[in-house]
Amino acid sequence: MDGDDAETKPSIVDVTPRVSENVGAVGVGTVVRRSRRLDVVAREHAKQQETSEPLQMRKDYAGLVGPAFFSPLVSQFGRSDMTSASDMRRDASYLARYIDTLDVILYSAPSATHQLSMNRELWDLVRLVRRLPVRVSESPPVLNALLFGIDIVLSPDRALSTPTLAREFRMDVADTVQWIARIMDCGLLNDVSMAHASRIVERLRDIQEDVGRRVASSDFHQYTSII
């Protein structure tokens, strides 16, 4: 009887939770400490990644924009037959859009590797366009496109300095002063073109003054070397 009772008597089950031997495990109630320095380093690294790629792209573009985009497009001027109705030299609207495209490319590359050659090509193009029939060369859209391009070339924030412009484009500067004076006197400019022309004239005067100072300095040195 006692034996049966011992067999049927329920045993007390140990339900006390056991402490895990892995003391370092993260669980409920565990405080996780995170280094603020790691966050700062991570943010700085992310910023560097964000800025390095666009910077590299700008460097690549600066080296390619001249030979890959600007020069090939400039070379298309006058490729077609002048007798063709589709020739840009006969269509003021078409020609203006063509020059505007070149202006935008030039404007987008203030630090282009081939800045000097690009500026030279634009000056040469301006001179060629001015030789076209007046109905095309002096139409408002073409004049505005030409002046916009010259305004970009002469902008103080471009890669070429005043001494460089004075040295490389001395004849173009003198010729452009006379040309702008004529079209302004003839009342051929609208408000947008007049704004471009005013900035160009001011900049051309600075360049001419720089040329004058250099010539005077050169004459002075020659004079002192003789005496």
Side-chain angles (χ1 to χ4, degrees):
M1 186 73 174
D2 293 339
D4 294 339
D5 292 341
E7 292 179 357
T8 59
K9 186 177 180 180
S11 61
I12 299 174
V13 180
D14 184 7
V15 295
T16 304
R18 297 180 180 276
V19 179
S20 174
E21 295 178 358
N22 187 8
V23 181
V26 178
V28 179
T30 303
V31 178
V32 179
R33 299 185 181 277
R34 183 180 179 86
S35 172
R36 294 184 60 185
R37 178 173 177 78
L38 291 177
D39 291 338
V40 173
V41 172
R43 285 196 297 268
E44 290 179 351
H45 179 71
K47 289 181 179 179
Q48 290 176 356
Q49 290 292 104
E50 293 175 358
T51 58
S52 61
E53 292 184 5
L55 180 61
Q56 184 60 45
M57 291 177 63
R58 287 196 294 270
K59 289 182 178 179
D60 294 341
Y61 180 72
L64 291 172
V65 62
F69 299 102
F70 192 83
S71 297
L73 187 57
V74 169
S75 66
Q76 295 302 311
F77 181 79
R79 283 284 182 89
S80 58
D81 186 1
M82 188 65 174
T83 61
S84 173
S86 61
D87 193 313
M88 71 175 73
R89 293 170 294 179
R90 297 167 57 91
D91 188 333
S93 178
Y94 182 16
L95 179 60
R97 287 196 294 270
Y98 167 75
I99 301 172
D100 279 335
T101 303
L102 291 169
D103 294 342
V104 170
I105 295 175
L106 192 64
Y107 181 82
S108 68
S111 301
T113 307
H114 305 85
Q115 187 72 233
L116 182 60
S117 61
M118 292 168 65
N119 286 5
R120 166 48 58 202
E121 289 173 324
L122 184 71
W123 282 110
D124 292 343
L125 178 65
V126 170
R127 188 164 48 252
L128 292 173
V129 171
R130 287 170 49 193
R131 295 174 182 172
L132 295 177
V134 173
R135 65 178 180 80
V136 175
S137 63
E138 295 187 356
S139 64
V142 171
L143 283 177
N144 186 57
L146 292 176
L147 293 172
F148 179 38
I150 299 174
D151 195 3
I152 294 171
V153 169
L154 298 177
S155 177
D157 62 351
R158 311 311 289 180
L160 299 183
S161 62
T162 297
T164 301
L165 290 169
R167 182 180 65 254
E168 299 292 338
F169 305 101
R170 182 175 177 179
M171 298 303 297
D172 298 282
V173 167
D175 182 57
T176 303
V177 169
Q178 297 178 3
W179 172 61
I180 291 182
R182 184 184 66 80
I183 60 177
M184 290 178 72
D185 291 340
C186 294
L188 300 175
L189 305 181
N190 56 30
D191 292 342
V192 175
S193 299
M194 185 63 74
H196 289 310
S198 299
R199 285 192 295 269
I200 292 170
V201 169
E202 182 179 356
R203 186 76 170 125
L204 291 177
R205 287 173 179 169
D206 293 340
I207 296 173
Q208 287 182 318
E209 289 177 0
D210 184 81
V211 171
R213 287 192 298 268
R214 291 177 180 276
V215 171
S217 176
S218 176
D219 291 342
F220 174 76
H221 287 306
Q222 289 179 3
Y223 175 75
T224 54
S225 64
I226 295 174
I227 61 174

